[in-house]
Amino acid sequence: MLPELREAFDTGDNGVGASLTVYFVPFALALLVSGTLGERWGRRRTVQLAYLGYAAASLGCALAPTLPLFLAGRALQGLANAFTTPLLLAGLVDLAEPSRVGRAVGIYASFQATGQSLSPIVGGTATELDWRLAFVGITVVALLLAALPPPGEARPAASAPPWRTLLLPRVGLLGLAAAGSSLGCVGIAFLVALQARDAFGLGPSAAGLVLLCSGLTGLVLGSAWGRVTDVVGSRRAGMAAAVAGGGLVLLMGQAGSLTIFVVVWVGVGAMSSLLSVAVQSLATGLVPANRGGGVSATLAFRFGGLALAPLAWLPLAGSSGLDTAFTGAGLATFVVVVLLFPLGRSVAGPSPGWGGPTRRRPAPTRGP
């Protein structure tokens, strides 16, 4: 879509490239507080208003006559989206049985991977006709989703989740682990694309298919990884994924043939999927009284890591080679093990005051 935007607004690469920056900056910053605000205002109302805001911003992008107005719409899209993802995940976990939280998060992750894999294809198809149709389609989808908000009413002042829960050490540790995973195996698609082009001579379409392999792996394995985290625990699953994923990333720069490169990349995708499911499962149990706040703070670090990854590894790849950049990303993945180790097994259960059914243990049977 970037070439079409460049032509429509008569601007250069920097101008259209800003459409990504102005989306992710407010998105990541708002995630630091959006979950806690949503828990206070009520998940249902917050998500509904966020989808309506996202629809309005998307329609604004579709109708924008100038680049500044288009960028303003993109910024509002990012801000609105920050109030959907953490609250949807928190609501999903509250609906799941405690012993099946990992499976619920895994299914959620599979749908995320599906969207990430299909969105370039759907967007590209719409762009063949008119790039503005892609944003019209997003508007329609957001309006439909606004009719299906998660449960959860506003909490009275006495039961509102406190802000200080976001300052707990375990929140910081998991946030750093999420950032480390994004600097590592989760966020190296741009290095893979460069390696596919420079080392194996693939064109844009072929390189895109290589990248798609990782997304499809997450789609297929998300639910299975959820079951794994339920059985062995989110912390152990995440540590194992970080060890295996870091090792595979180290091999990416050493692959001598395209076949080996793709196979290793599929393995990286599988471990990235498991690590993402484990981290999100841990986030949902991080602060049970402020589940949405714990999830949104963790996601803020995750997307911060994704934003930093190109800044960290592209200069290294340019000065020392792609194999050195892959080595750095692999080592960053290993650091996640150290950060997850102190967290212990995640705790997941219904959040106080969330507005859904309360699970009670059966009363003990009295003898005669």
Side-chain angles (χ1 to χ4, degrees):
M1 186 182 294
L2 294 183
E4 287 76 14
L5 293 176
R6 186 169 55 233
E7 181 180 348
F9 296 120
D10 191 24
T11 186
D13 290 337
N14 289 337
V16 296
S19 65
L20 300 176
T21 304
V22 299
Y23 178 92
F24 280 110
V25 169
F27 177 56
L29 291 177
L31 276 172
L32 290 169
V33 298
S34 61
T36 301
L37 289 174
E39 295 283 13
R40 286 170 169 247
W41 298 338
R43 294 175 189 165
R44 176 180 293 275
R45 178 175 61 180
T46 302
V47 171
Q48 199 163 42
L49 290 175
Y51 274 131
L52 291 174
Y54 195 89
S58 301
L59 185 60
C61 289
L63 300 177
T66 63
L67 181 62
L69 289 176
F70 177 78
L71 295 178
R74 289 288 289 162
L76 291 175
Q77 278 185 316
L79 181 63
N81 194 26
F83 287 87
T84 60
T85 303
L87 298 176
L88 289 172
L89 184 54
L92 176 65
V93 168
D94 277 332
L95 293 173
E97 292 296 325
S99 62
R100 299 174 66 90
V101 164
R103 265 168 269 200
V105 174
I107 292 171
Y108 179 85
S110 290
F111 278 99
Q112 278 186 318
T114 301
Q116 291 167 357
S117 299
L118 294 180
S119 58
I121 299 173
V122 176
T125 301
T127 303
E128 291 289 336
L129 300 174
D130 188 334
W131 66 267
R132 297 180 188 273
L133 290 178
F135 288 94
V136 172
I138 294 172
T139 301
V140 173
V141 172
L143 290 174
L144 292 174
L145 291 174
L148 301 169
E153 305 305 324
R155 298 194 196 177
S159 64
W163 289 102
R164 64 177 180 273
T165 57
L166 300 182
L167 302 178
L168 294 172
R170 61 179 179 269
V171 176
L173 282 172
L174 187 59
L176 290 174
S181 69
S182 294
L183 280 167
C185 63
V186 174
I188 60 167
F190 62 95
L191 291 179
V192 174
L194 287 176
Q195 184 82 334
R197 183 196 67 187
D198 295 346
F200 302 109
L202 299 186
S205 298
L209 290 175
V210 171
L211 294 178
L212 184 61
C213 292
S214 177
L216 293 177
T217 302
L219 186 159
V220 172
L221 293 177
S223 179
W225 290 146
R227 290 193 292 271
V228 169
T229 61
D230 284 335
V231 173
V232 306
S234 300
R235 179 181 67 105
R236 291 179 181 175
M239 291 170 63
V243 170
L248 289 170
V249 171
L250 293 179
L251 294 176
M252 292 292 295
Q254 309 300 322
S257 71
L258 179 60
T259 301
I260 295 175
F261 182 74
V262 172
V263 169
V264 175
W265 174 232
V266 169
V268 171
M271 292 302 101
S272 297
S273 175
L274 175 56
L275 183 55
S276 295
V277 170
V279 168
Q280 289 185 93
S281 296
L282 282 167
T284 62
L286 204 59
V287 188
N290 184 13
R291 198 180 303 286
V295 172
S296 69
T298 302
L299 290 177
F301 278 91
R302 177 186 177 186
F303 284 101
L306 288 174
L308 290 175
L311 300 177
W313 308 133
L314 285 178
L316 189 61
S319 61
S320 303
L322 280 167
D323 56 338
T324 305
F326 279 117
T327 299
L331 295 176
T333 310
F334 288 142
V335 172
V336 175
V337 180
V338 179
L339 295 168
L340 291 180
F341 182 77
L343 291 178
R345 193 179 180 91
S346 71
V347 179
S351 301
W354 71 280
T358 302
R359 304 185 187 96
R360 291 187 174 89
R361 294 181 179 178
T365 304
R366 296 181 179 274

